[in-house]
Amino acid sequence: MSRRPNDPQRRERILQATLDTIAEHGIHAVTHRKIAHCAGVPLGSMTYYFDGMDSLLEEAFAGFTREMSRQYREYFAKVNGPEMACEAIATLIHSSEVTTPHNMELMYQLYALMNRKPSLRIVMQDWMQTSQKTLEQWFNPVTARALDAFIEGMTLHFVTDRSPLSREEIGAMVKRIAGLEEE
């Protein structure tokens, strides 16, 4: 007779607590102790479920990017053509449906950390590829890549600019990149 774990959700709570701790304190201040406290688990659980901080970070960020990709695909689910895709991209950048402050903080931390951790660079590359594949439903691969880079960059600009562009201005830029509007 196999024995069931006392806390079958512990591993998932640790992964979520890792992301929450990173978002709250920044990657530089994350420790096993802080994550365990945030997850409400004994400190020993950290090494029971994960080989070390690197494997924990990789799995947490991989889960984060999978969830972001799922939300991204869901966001574009009702799009039925390039014009509508451009409108959806403009709205995506201008709103915070997917790019919540919590998600943006995690993205910033992932960008910074992936430079030092090759396994996280792969997580980031997989995420970018998934986003581009979503856009390739309506655009050729080069245009999809340009739009994906624009979404990432303009999202950062939108949340940090003193005077963010209007949704209409963003929409016009998206259409230019997509080749659907003259300058």
Side-chain angles (χ1 to χ4, degrees):
M1 177 160 137
S2 68
R3 194 172 157 208
R4 289 183 45 209
N6 292 338
D7 186 356
Q9 300 302 314
R10 184 174 288 182
R11 190 171 201 288
E12 288 72 27
R13 281 203 330 269
I14 292 169
L15 289 167
Q16 185 59 51
T18 300
L19 296 173
D20 293 343
T21 304
I22 291 168
E24 184 176 341
H25 300 285
I27 195 70
H28 66 281
V30 171
T31 64
H32 281 104
R33 189 173 303 283
K34 278 185 184 172
I35 294 168
H37 177 75
C38 181
V41 301
L43 184 58
S45 295
M46 304 302 292
T47 55
Y48 178 79
Y49 290 104
F50 303 95
D51 291 336
M53 187 60 79
D54 284 350
S55 67
L56 175 58
L57 292 173
E58 182 180 347
E59 192 166 339
F61 275 121
F64 167 70
T65 60
R66 277 191 307 273
E67 177 59 19
M68 288 292 292
S69 291
R70 184 196 62 74
Q71 290 175 7
Y72 191 80
R73 283 189 308 272
E74 205 171 88
Y75 183 81
F76 287 100
K78 294 182 181 173
V79 170
N80 62 15
E83 287 278 344
M84 194 173 183
C86 288
E87 291 299 317
I89 290 168
T91 302
L92 175 73
I93 293 167
H94 197 265
S95 71
S96 61
E97 289 181 50
V98 176
T99 54
T100 64
H102 184 266
N103 288 347
M104 292 301 294
E105 182 61 38
L106 289 171
M107 284 189 271
Y108 301 148
Q109 296 295 321
L110 176 56
Y111 288 139
L113 190 59
M114 74 169 191
N115 226 16
R116 297 178 188 263
K117 308 235 181 253
S119 62
L120 290 178
R121 183 170 299 184
I122 292 166
V123 168
M124 189 71 189
Q125 290 166 340
D126 290 347
W127 184 20
M128 288 169 43
Q129 187 176 32
T130 301
S131 298
Q132 291 164 19
K133 288 289 182 203
T134 298
L135 295 172
E136 285 176 16
Q137 295 174 82
W138 310 284
F139 306 104
N140 68 57
V142 173
T143 302
R145 192 173 206 176
L147 287 167
D148 182 51
F150 180 79
I151 291 166
E152 287 194 39
M154 189 49 75
T155 301
L156 174 63
H157 281 257
F158 187 77
V159 298
T160 57
D161 270 353
R162 288 189 177 114
S163 301
L165 295 173
S166 70
R167 191 207 167 285
E168 291 72 27
E169 291 168 318
I170 293 168
M173 294 169 82
V174 169
K175 285 181 180 179
R176 277 188 216 122
I177 293 167
L180 300 178
E181 183 175 286
E182 297 291 322
E183 284 190 46

